[in-house]
Amino acid sequence: MSAKEKGGELDIEKEDKIRQFHPIDSLFDYFSSFQLVDSQGKKTTLMSGRNFYNAMTPGSSIGHAFGKGKGSYLSISEEDINADWMASQNQIPGRADGLLNEINKLGLLTYTDFNFLFLLMSTPRRYVDMIFHAFDVSADGNVEAKEFIYILAKIANVKTDPEELLKSKKSGLVKYLFGEDLSGELTSETFKNLQTRLIDDVLSLEFTRLDQLMNIQHLNILVQVLQCRGEHE
């Protein structure tokens, strides 16, 4: 085994430990690829759909051009968030209309977005209604953008003013859920459908990755068999 292969194995082992044992903020910081620097010099770490898949999937290594812990981010401007190159670079293999690819087309994931998607991924389906009711502050059966962002800020325990988050255009998730003008509303069914699509996305990508890995292993075995046959003829 080459030094490069050994390094790759150690990297995957290290990342699996981060996924298993580190708090959610460390998980987000480690797997995120981007850092937005605004006109005031304020830095905001952001994550792509690819990064989210990596953070959620043991053994995954897709799209690691940037993002291996603090200090290794690609610096971007606000104009870059909705740029064509950004959506193209972060497109995930598989269905173009998958949830993570749809979010990628609209922007990146903030730390609060990551908390929400992480919550959906880790909650049994029978308890998704409880998540919805936690966000439905007005108890009218619908969650508006303001309710969503205020509750999510408390869940993520961020110091940023929720009003600032509401005005921000960084989040592809918020734009996907509520539209550019934030006039949309979410229902309990929306939460359930989001969870289903998110899990389907991750499982589909994992199946594709493992299928490719198995095909490569089968090909290597076939090559070895042919080589051995050639040596004995």
Side-chain angles (χ1 to χ4, degrees):
M1 182 182 290
S2 68
K4 184 177 180 181
E5 287 172 332
K6 287 180 181 178
E9 283 193 356
L10 290 173
D11 228 22
I12 289 174
E13 184 179 334
K14 173 187 173 183
E15 290 178 357
D16 284 344
K17 288 180 179 178
I18 290 173
R19 292 182 184 99
Q20 187 173 2
F21 299 114
H22 282 227
I24 190 169
D25 56 336
S26 295
L27 191 64
F28 177 79
D29 286 337
Y30 182 85
F31 286 99
S32 294
S33 285
F34 305 98
Q35 193 167 72
L36 175 68
V37 183
D38 64 19
S39 57
Q40 307 296 320
K42 181 181 177 181
K43 297 178 180 179
T44 304
T45 302
L46 297 168
M47 172 179 275
S48 69
R50 270 178 176 262
N51 298 151
F52 179 81
Y53 171 74
N54 281 337
M56 292 292 102
T57 310
S60 170
S61 60
I62 67 165
H64 261 338
F66 303 96
K68 288 275 188 174
K70 293 182 178 180
S72 60
Y73 307 116
L74 174 64
S75 294
I76 59 173
S77 65
E78 292 183 359
E79 290 73 24
D80 291 322
I81 291 178
N82 294 316
D84 291 339
W85 72 265
M86 180 68 77
S88 176
Q89 176 176 301
N90 291 313
Q91 185 167 348
I92 299 171
R95 294 177 52 182
D97 62 348
L99 177 63
L100 293 175
N101 277 331
E102 290 292 326
I103 292 172
N104 268 335
K105 294 173 186 176
L106 299 172
L108 294 169
L109 299 172
T110 64
Y111 176 60
T112 52
D113 295 341
F114 180 68
N115 272 264
F116 178 70
L117 294 180
F118 185 93
L119 184 62
L120 278 185
M121 281 284 295
S122 57
T123 301
R125 184 170 174 79
R126 64 183 179 274
Y127 296 131
V128 173
D129 269 336
M130 295 175 65
I131 299 176
F132 170 76
H133 289 302
F135 281 89
D136 185 17
V137 179
S138 60
D140 62 354
N142 296 295
V143 174
E144 298 176 355
K146 190 170 185 177
E147 289 176 298
F148 181 82
I149 290 173
Y150 267 74
I151 297 301
L152 195 52
K154 290 185 178 297
I155 291 173
N157 194 29
V158 295
K159 297 178 182 179
T160 310
D161 184 353
E163 285 293 339
E164 184 180 332
L165 293 174
L166 197 61
K167 295 173 184 176
S168 171
K169 298 295 182 181
K170 307 181 191 80
S171 171
L173 175 65
V174 171
K175 284 185 276 189
Y176 174 81
L177 294 176
F178 299 99
E180 288 282 353
D181 61 356
L182 304 184
S183 62
E185 294 181 336
L186 310 179
T187 64
S188 176
E189 281 304 309
T190 309
F191 275 58
K192 292 175 183 176
N193 290 337
L194 274 172
Q195 185 193 54
T196 299
R197 290 192 65 195
L198 182 61
I199 293 175
D200 284 351
D201 242 18
V202 172
L203 290 180
S204 175
L205 285 164
E206 182 64 358
F207 177 80
T208 301
R209 184 178 72 87
L210 292 176
D211 187 48
Q212 290 173 343
L213 183 61
M214 290 298 293
N215 286 337
I216 291 171
Q217 290 175 339
H218 290 159
L219 181 61
N220 287 338
I221 291 171
L222 179 60
V223 169
Q224 290 172 6
V225 169
L226 291 174
Q227 286 175 341
C228 290
R229 182 179 177 182
E231 290 172 358
H232 289 87
E233 286 182 350

